[in-house]
Amino acid sequence: MKSQHQESGATTQTDLTGKVALVTGASQGIGLAIARGLAQAGASIVLADKSQAVEEQCAALKDAGYRAQAVQADVTDPSDVERMFADVTDAFDGLDILVNNAAILLSSPARDYSRVEWQRVIETNLSACYFVAMEAVKLFDTSGGGTIINMSSIVGRNARRNLVPYITAKAGIDGLTRGLTCDLARSGVRVNAIAPGFIESDMSRVDKPGFRESIAKAVPAGRWGQPQDIANVAVFLAGPAASYIHGQTIYVDGGFSAVSP
Ligand SMILES: NC(=O)c1ccc[n+]([C@@H]2O[C@H](COP(=O)([O-])OP(=O)(O)OC[C@H]3O[C@@H](n4cnc5c(N)ncnc54)[C@H](O)[C@@H]3O)[C@@H](O)[C@H]2O)c1
């Protein structure tokens, strides 16, 4: 049987030439950096996001010479998800890599979440990842396998204040990653997660004096992470160099979760 590496005609361990990747939440921040990184590694990219800005980001990738397609879709809406996968098939005829990156963060003390708020976070950050993964697997089946990267967080393991549904969803992502590995590895589907630490993006912006500096001080690496730090790991995990990595959550946090505060 040919390896994933041989089938793609790839020449290096990070070469994704001939692969097709779908990245959710790709109009900004970490998702956009991952989409760009996968494109630079040679993959054709479908950028999906509920924001219309995804069209503009896709156009910029195309202008730079990459193969890219935008889909405006809400990952919590089953009809949008159906359309998203129809667009993947129309544009590139198959799928090899899914990055479940789209997420939201609502911050409140534990006593204050409404049922609707709780469900919004769990639906977006956890349930949608499962349902999108199951659609991706149908396309993987036709191409002999594929790989899924789920976006977790350091808070999936080390909780912080005022984030209970987000923390619960991210801990669920780690479980989803292991559970899918149990069920799907034998059919050629490799599933892993990345747990970012403090990465500069809209989601992590907190307008509190001294916050930025206090985080940089607490992180052993002495700085905030950049979306590119996560993209580098996603490209590695998506490629043949990671072919024996299954079911893992990889912490990319400048050492934050490795030390006591
Ligand atoms: N930034 C950090 O410090 C950090 C830390 C840990 C984990 N993460 C995780 O990394 C991922 C990316 O985070 P980011 O910082 O780039 O966030 P971000 O808010 O900058 O980007 C998230 C993107 O997801 C999209 N999105 C949200 N809900 C959606 C939906 N229902 N359907 C489709 N698209 C949707 C948004 O429009 C946005 O473009 C998330 O899973 C987040 O939980 C981020």
Side-chain angles (χ1 to χ4, degrees):
M1 197 171 120
K2 279 185 175 179
S3 69
Q4 207 183 28
H5 181 59
Q6 288 166 321
E7 277 165 4
S8 70
T11 53
T12 72
Q13 291 281 292
T14 49
D15 187 352
L16 299 175
T17 303
K19 301 291 184 189
V20 177
L22 167 63
V23 183
T24 68
S27 74
Q28 61 180 42
I30 292 171
L32 177 59
I34 292 174
R36 198 183 295 121
L38 294 171
Q40 285 165 348
S44 303
I45 310 296
V46 179
L47 299 97
D49 204 293
K50 67 179 180 186
S51 160
Q52 208 184 344
V54 73
E55 302 282 351
E56 209 177 300
Q57 299 299 354
C58 178
L61 281 181
K62 279 175 152 169
D63 286 349
Y66 300 114
R67 279 160 55 91
Q69 173 74 36
V71 188
Q72 199 182 342
D74 181 335
V75 292
T76 65
D77 180 332
S79 61
D80 275 18
V81 170
E82 197 177 314
R83 186 170 45 77
M84 180 169 82
F85 280 94
D87 284 6
V88 169
T89 311
D90 286 351
F92 299 122
D93 195 27
L95 186 69
D96 305 285
I97 300 159
L98 165 67
V99 184
N100 262 325
N101 169 79
I104 54 169
L105 183 148
L106 301 182
S107 177
S108 286
R111 296 171 202 275
D112 292 351
Y113 288 98
S114 68
R115 184 171 283 269
V116 168
E117 288 169 333
W118 170 271
Q119 283 169 342
R120 247 189 83 207
V121 177
I122 300 295
E123 277 295 306
T124 308
N125 298 9
L126 179 58
S127 307
C129 295
Y130 167 70
F131 291 111
V132 169
M134 290 307 96
E135 291 306 311
V137 164
K138 289 180 196 163
L139 292 184
F140 291 169
D141 285 344
T142 61
S143 55
T147 190
I148 298 172
I149 299 168
N150 294 319
M151 208 50 65
S152 180
S153 167
I154 49 169
V155 303
R157 193 172 66 187
N158 299 98
R160 293 179 71 80
R161 274 171 203 268
N162 297 340
L163 288 174
V164 168
Y166 183 87
I167 289 166
T168 306
K170 293 302 186 182
I173 284 290
D174 296 346
L176 176 70
T177 299
R178 292 189 289 265
L180 291 179
T181 295
C182 283
D183 285 11
L184 302 176
R186 289 289 169 95
S187 41
V189 182
R190 204 161 52 75
V191 189
N192 289 291
I194 299 174
F198 291 91
I199 309 297
E200 280 190 284
S201 76
D202 280 3
M203 184 180 280
S204 60
R205 196 156 297 131
V206 173
D207 294 325
K208 203 168 92 186
F211 177 73
R212 261 189 65 78
E213 294 71 17
S214 71
I215 294 299
K217 227 168 134 185
V219 173
R223 67 168 175 89
W224 278 68
Q226 296 301 316
Q228 187 63 46
D229 291 310
I230 306 302
N232 294 341
V233 178
V235 170
F236 162 71
L237 279 179
S243 66
Y244 201 54
I245 303 178
H246 286 254
Q248 301 303 308
T249 297
I250 312 286
Y251 282 70
V252 185
D253 64 356
F256 186 78
S257 62
V259 298
S260 303

